[in-house]
Amino acid sequence: MMNPLSLCLWAAAVCYAAAAILTFLKRAGAGYASITAGVIFNGAFLIQRGWIAGVFVPNGIVEGVFLTPFFMAAILLLLGLRNRRDLSFMSAAVLPALFGAFALLYPRGIIPPTPNKLTVWSVLFFMTESAGHACLYTGGWLALAGIIRRDDSERYHSLLLWGFVLFSVAQVTGALWAFLGWGSVFRWGSRHLQSAVIWCYFAAYLHLRFLPGWDRIKRLAFAAAGMIVIAGCTFGSSLAEMKFPRIGG
Amino acid sequence: MKRFLDIIGDLRIAFWLLLSAALVMWIGSIICLNNYSLIDSLNGSRIQEWLPAHLRQHPGATWWIPLLFLVFFLLGINTMACTARRILNLIPAGRGMSAKGFLVALSPSIIHLLFMLMLSGHLLGFAMVEFEKVPVRQGEEAVLKNVGTVRVASVTHQFFPRDSLLRGRVRQSRMILEFPRQGVPETAVLEFLRPVYRGGYIIQLDMERKKRTETPRIADPETCNRETHFNFSGPKNAGSPRLYLAVTRDPGLFVLFPGFIAVILIMGWYFYQVTLGSGRNAR
């Protein structure tokens, strides 16, 4: 029999997949309800994961693979609360569905935390980083949808702006954590460099609006390509961390 | 002057330089994965001392570092010129604007100046950093190159609860340090994530296990994940952790921290104004 932790994750993934399918079948309202249920199940999973070792370890809640689909779905929930009539953004339900499916394949246990990881700064870092990734992915997806549908919604741009702000906050909280733990705010290594890649790419995006020759379609394409940049910079480490020794789950 | 600023401060140059920086860092990140120890040795070393030697010995693994510095140097010049040009144009235009509208319009320029400040802070850190790591034991004295003699008066470890899956794993360590001062020892408490500051130097606690009985993992022989240095997932002996004092001095931090806080506050306020607030038309 499936334990409550796995049950919640499966339920969240099924809700996300159902939301994507319902939206594809032009039933965005039902899809929105399904996303809402998914957020609840995903949230329940994350809270349980904090206690997975028999003692509360917040690092279990903020692991990107499980937190990013939660934030992606929560963004859709917030967008719906702001404008209930226009659910065109619901095409982005594909994102939590895909990330939720990947989370199902991922080890549920936590990497035993070293003393240097047991700080509020690491929790803030992973939370803001995942929220930033979720905004940037969703903005990128809506940009792609804008190219396909040829609509003139600017929603994607706001999401990219807030994604950039959150990702910048993550760099600051991460820098504070690195300073307290290792005495420097930047370390020469793949993790820090790949974060800087994402930051520079979206900093370049922010300048596009002021460049002649970059019409709307080109800007949308650049924003959509950002999804590949984030995936290219983060997916490898997620795969590598699957091999790390874990506890619980 | 204006023509000069227009050319070197062209936004198109900024765009392509940002993308170039992203590309060089992405290549660098791939190289780091395959040369972890080599690139990691740059942390705590001064770039002007480390780079010439390693560029000769390992050109294939280090070529991207000077290129990255060049790209950021050019980006710094471009940003400076672009910001100067924008502020020069904004001042006369600002006379017809409200104070808030002017501040919203000025914010991107301030953010760019802060970005420049932070690039300078990083450069200062890379060029002036001092780092030393010394193994220590309870009751022993250690001579730190820049701080002087220190005695480890006591070491205590706090473990995760016995009834948890993390039992036997260190949650926090506490070290009492004694610095001799005119015959009277001055004490300081050192813990993980709670460094001691002394004479401009940051003293931090670092730790590795002394002995390992489990079979080493074959996967990821070079990785920044040091979990297995601290704890083991499999059966382990009772070897106590090996403790180190890491001593760092990084003058760039004094520039970086105020810059970090200021840039986040201004950026958040600016984006709020242009997306949700009343300053949407001030761009």
Side-chain angles (χ1 to χ4, degrees):
Chain A
M1 195 175 149
M2 207 182 279
N3 63 35
L5 186 81
S6 291
L7 200 63
C8 283
L9 186 63
W10 270 96
V14 167
C15 288
Y16 293 153
I21 293 165
L22 288 165
T23 305
F24 182 73
L25 297 173
K26 312 275 184 209
R27 296 189 62 191
Y32 186 76
S34 190
I35 276 286
T36 309
V39 167
I40 294 165
F41 284 121
N42 201 339
F45 166 80
L46 291 170
I47 290 166
Q48 286 182 75
R49 200 162 182 267
W51 293 95
I52 200 170
V55 56
F56 182 67
V57 180
N59 306 52
I61 296 176
V62 295
E63 190 163 346
V65 171
F66 302 106
L67 192 59
T68 305
F70 173 80
F71 277 129
M72 285 169 166
I75 288 166
L76 298 183
L77 214 60
L78 287 174
L79 288 175
L81 288 175
R82 282 195 65 176
N83 189 351
R84 283 168 193 266
R85 287 184 205 155
D86 176 15
L87 293 178
S88 58
F89 62 83
M90 276 301 294
S91 69
V94 168
L95 290 172
L98 287 174
F99 280 75
F102 179 62
L104 285 178
L105 305 172
Y106 212 74
R108 312 270 199 278
I110 58 164
I111 298 170
T114 55
N116 269 348
K117 289 181 181 166
L118 296 167
T119 165
V120 68
W121 293 110
S122 77
V123 174
L124 284 174
F125 165 70
F126 287 116
M127 281 187 83
T128 46
E129 190 192 42
S130 292
H133 283 166
C135 281
L136 295 172
Y137 270 119
T138 311
W141 180 269
L142 294 183
L144 184 65
I147 297 171
I148 295 165
R149 287 197 208 129
R150 298 190 180 279
D151 65 24
D152 57 355
S153 167
E154 287 294 298
R155 201 177 263 146
Y156 84 96
H157 182 66
S158 294
L159 281 168
L160 292 180
L161 285 184
W162 286 111
F164 186 77
V165 171
L166 284 166
F167 193 71
S168 300
V169 172
Q171 301 318 299
V172 173
T173 51
L176 285 167
W177 174 29
F179 166 72
L180 289 173
W182 297 271
S184 64
V185 295
F186 174 84
R187 293 191 70 78
W188 292 92
S190 59
R191 184 67 162 88
H192 285 227
L193 286 167
Q194 286 175 346
S195 290
V197 169
I198 296 171
W199 194 90
C200 284
Y201 184 87
F202 285 98
Y205 163 79
L206 293 182
H207 290 83
L208 276 185
R209 295 198 153 212
F210 310 103
L211 295 184
W214 280 83
D215 60 20
R216 185 180 153 74
I217 293 295
K218 282 184 187 168
R219 287 203 309 268
L220 288 168
F222 192 90
M227 288 191 289
I228 299 167
V229 174
I230 309 170
C233 289
T234 56
F235 200 62
S237 55
S238 295
L239 288 178
E241 285 179 12
M242 286 176 94
K243 296 179 203 157
F244 288 0
R246 285 171 185 267
I247 276 178
Chain B
M1 180 66 178
K2 187 175 180 304
R3 177 94 185 111
F4 179 68
L5 288 179
D6 284 347
I7 293 168
I8 62 165
D10 194 316
L11 214 53
R12 281 170 296 191
I13 298 175
F15 173 76
W16 288 111
L17 283 172
L18 278 167
L19 279 191
S20 304
L23 180 65
V24 174
M25 286 190 289
W26 183 74
I27 293 168
S29 72
I30 303 298
I31 291 173
C32 282
L33 286 174
N34 298 313
N35 299 274
Y36 177 78
S37 303
L38 172 69
I39 305 296
D40 189 52
S41 68
L42 177 52
N43 294 308
S45 304
R46 292 184 173 181
I47 189 80
Q48 69 274 20
E49 291 162 8
W50 187 92
L51 194 57
H54 289 86
L55 205 52
R56 275 195 300 274
Q57 287 171 15
H58 311 281
T62 54
W63 62 268
W64 57 277
I65 299 172
L67 185 59
L68 185 62
F69 275 90
L70 176 67
V71 170
F72 274 114
F73 174 71
L74 295 174
L75 187 63
I77 292 173
N78 170 269
T79 306
M80 206 66 197
C82 184
T83 306
R85 188 180 59 161
R86 191 170 182 274
I87 291 174
L88 288 174
N89 289 334
L90 198 62
I91 289 170
R95 288 188 191 120
M97 298 165 83
S98 66
K100 188 178 177 184
F102 182 70
L103 277 178
V104 172
L106 193 64
S107 295
S109 300
I110 297 171
I111 291 167
H112 282 80
L113 288 174
L114 289 169
F115 173 67
M116 290 284 308
L117 187 77
M118 288 195 290
L119 279 184
S120 313
H122 276 301
L123 185 63
L124 193 63
F126 293 148
M128 304 285 286
V129 70
E130 293 174 49
F131 180 75
E132 185 186 12
K133 191 171 166 181
V134 181
V136 285
R137 282 175 218 271
Q138 183 170 318
E140 284 184 358
E141 274 192 354
V143 180
L144 306 175
K145 198 168 58 185
N146 297 302
V147 177
T149 306
V150 60
R151 185 175 167 274
V152 179
S154 73
V155 178
T156 49
H157 298 293
Q158 183 198 342
F159 293 89
F160 280 98
R162 283 172 187 272
D163 58 351
S164 77
L165 296 176
L166 292 167
R167 62 185 163 272
R169 290 169 192 274
V170 176
R171 189 175 206 166
Q172 180 58 282
S173 299
R174 169 180 269 236
M175 188 181 271
I176 307 290
L177 299 178
E178 287 179 357
F179 299 94
R181 193 176 178 181
Q182 293 166 345
V184 184
E186 191 179 307
T187 60
V189 178
L190 181 65
E191 293 181 350
F192 283 105
L193 299 157
R194 292 191 186 100
V196 168
Y197 304 92
R198 201 166 171 89
Y201 290 84
I202 305 157
I203 304 174
Q204 285 169 305
L205 195 56
D206 203 356
M207 153 171 123
E208 282 180 23
R209 286 273 181 189
K210 271 196 300 191
K211 294 178 188 172
R212 301 171 65 171
T213 54
E214 66 168 344
T215 311
R217 285 182 298 129
I218 297 165
D220 53 282
E222 290 206 311
T223 170
C224 65
N225 178 47
R226 301 178 63 208
E227 189 275 325
T228 48
H229 291 258
F230 290 83
N231 305 301
F232 312 123
S233 61
K236 55 184 182 285
N237 66 358
S240 58
R242 188 74 172 110
L243 295 167
Y244 296 84
L245 294 180
V247 186
T248 314
R249 184 174 178 272
D250 183 348
L253 295 175
F254 297 103
V255 179
L256 284 167
F257 280 123
F260 277 148
I261 294 161
V263 86
I264 289 300
L265 291 176
I266 297 171
M267 194 192 286
W269 182 76
Y270 172 71
F271 284 139
Y272 174 77
Q273 292 299 326
V274 299
T275 56
L276 304 167
S278 55
R280 278 184 231 197
N281 300 320
R283 276 180 298 169

